[in-house]
Every structure is written in C-alpha cells, then in structure tokens.
Amino acid sequence: MPFESVRQVANADFPTRWGHFRIYGFEGIIDHPESCNSEIAAPLKRVESAVALVMGDVFSEPPIVRIHSQCLTGDVFHSLRCDCRQQLELALATIADKGAGILLYEQQEGRGIGLMAKLRAYELQDHGRDTIEANLELGFKADCRHFELPAEMLKLLGVKAVRLMTNNPEKVEALVEAGIEVVERITADVPSEPTFEKYLQVKREKMGHLVG
C-alpha cells in the first residue's frame, strides 16, 4: 500500500524509565487505501500516524529496531490475553542495554482492525474462536497491518540497515522490499503465560511467526 507522502511532524526530548530517547512523530498519507473489511468503505485518503523512539548513536552500526503495533489493552492495561506489553518492554530494555536503537510504534490496534472491533473480537474469542477466526467472522482480514510506514520512517531518519527485533517474517520482508537492509533478526520471544498460550499457538501455526 504505497504512501503518497510521509513526513516528520515533531521531534522532542523523551525521558523514560529505560533512559533518554528522542521521540519523533510521523504522518503518512495513503491515496485510495484498500479497505480491510468488505462491508466498510475505505476513505479516499487515509492518514497514518506513528512515532519513533530513538536512543543513542544509530548510524555507526545497524541499530536494533523494533516495529511495534499499538496494543492499548496490553501496553497500557497489562492485559495477559497477549504478549504485546512483554515484547514492548523487552525491546525497550534491549535498546537501553545496548545504549542505542529505535522503537517504531504504529497505530495498528488489533492487527489493524481498531480498538472497538478488537473488543468485539475478544467477545468471540471468549466463545471459542481464535484471534484469526474472530477477525474473519467480523468481516475483517486475518491481519490488516502493513509495514511500509516504518520503512519510510527509517529512511527519513537516515537509517539504511537494521538489526530487527521481531518474530514476524512479514516485517523483515516489508523492510527489505522497501530497500532497508536487515542484517540480523533478533528474537522477540518472551515467557509464555497460560492466558495467552493459545494466542501464541495461532501466531506460530497460522501466521508463520517464529515463536519459540
């Protein structure tokens, strides 16, 4: 899904409990975007927003990079239906230990279906569907995410090669296809919890994620 334009809109100091970052805001405009649900018409143009948290020197060698999809339930409320918060904190801790790296945080709640649809999918999961079955039953694709925006953000930041922290081969492929070299894939495995064992099983068996 090509972007008509991508621009940096903000750049500020950003202290965190993992250390000091710079936070950059980006906006990308998509002309005639594809709808993820055949029953919901897509707008003529869509604006996608994302932020980059940048720590240290990311130019002397390929930096550690994590592309993280927004998960309000996990990232903010510490839900144990998924491993999102644990992966986010693993990435921030790994970057902090190295003293350099980039976290790219995309607004793609519920694999891109949005927060309210995600909560409706939760209801279906409570009645036995898995994450993919629930999305499909609601009329959405199994995964509505695209990863072109992170690649464009890296280009605007001047980063041409990365060490990508991910279990999702699609993220690697998206960066490579966009001209970003992925010199290494770093695992994003986190300890499993009984409450999201099935969630990880679906990632591994149905989505091809490299989950241990």
Side-chain angles (χ1 to χ4, degrees):
M1 197 182 310
F3 283 85
E4 180 181 303
S5 65
V6 177
R7 66 189 183 102
Q8 180 187 313
V9 298
N11 171 6
D13 183 57
F14 197 65
T16 76
R17 67 183 179 89
W18 288 275
H20 251 84
F21 291 82
R22 296 293 297 179
I23 186 167
Y24 297 79
F26 293 87
E27 285 185 349
I29 298 175
I30 301 173
D31 197 18
H32 297 289
E34 177 186 351
S35 177
C36 187
N37 189 320
S38 59
E39 298 179 2
I40 302 173
L44 292 178
K45 290 183 184 290
R46 185 170 77 227
V47 178
E48 287 193 11
S49 301
V51 301
L53 272 60
V54 180
M55 175 182 280
D57 176 9
V58 295
F59 302 110
S60 61
E61 63 180 11
I64 297 169
V65 171
R66 165 74 183 165
I67 300 171
H68 191 84
S69 297
Q70 174 181 301
C71 177
L72 174 76
T73 49
D75 299 342
V76 176
F77 299 130
H78 294 200
S79 165
L80 292 179
R81 295 186 73 122
C82 64
D83 60 346
C84 299
R85 178 185 64 84
Q86 290 92 328
Q87 288 189 321
L88 175 63
E89 295 195 351
L90 172 65
L92 290 168
T94 303
I95 290 169
D97 287 345
K98 178 67 175 177
I102 303 171
L103 178 85
L104 303 175
Y105 193 93
E106 290 197 273
Q107 291 186 310
Q108 294 182 328
E109 189 79 42
R111 295 180 184 152
I113 69 175
L115 179 59
M116 293 302 110
K118 173 180 170 178
L119 298 184
R120 291 169 62 203
Y122 274 2
E123 283 193 84
L124 293 175
Q125 292 163 36
D126 287 347
H127 291 88
R129 282 73 154 185
D130 64 32
T131 52
I132 290 179
E133 291 166 347
N135 278 19
L136 295 176
E137 190 165 328
L138 292 172
F140 293 96
K141 297 177 182 177
D143 191 340
C144 295
R145 295 175 299 173
H146 299 276
F147 305 108
E148 290 91 345
L149 183 55
E152 296 305 316
M153 293 163 67
L154 289 169
K155 290 176 185 178
L156 288 174
L157 290 169
V159 174
K160 299 177 181 179
V162 302
R163 299 168 61 209
L164 189 63
M165 176 178 281
T166 186
N167 296 331
N168 186 349
E170 290 187 8
K171 292 181 180 179
V172 177
E173 292 168 10
L175 292 192
V176 171
E177 288 178 4
I180 302 294
E181 182 183 2
V182 179
V183 300
E184 180 185 3
R185 184 191 71 84
I186 302 172
T187 182
D189 273 354
V190 296
S192 180
E193 297 278 352
T195 47
F196 60 68
E197 284 180 357
K198 183 178 179 181
Y199 171 85
L200 293 181
Q201 181 182 0
V202 170
K203 276 188 171 183
R204 180 172 55 248
E205 296 179 0
K206 291 190 175 184
M207 301 183 73
H209 289 203
L210 305 172
V211 179

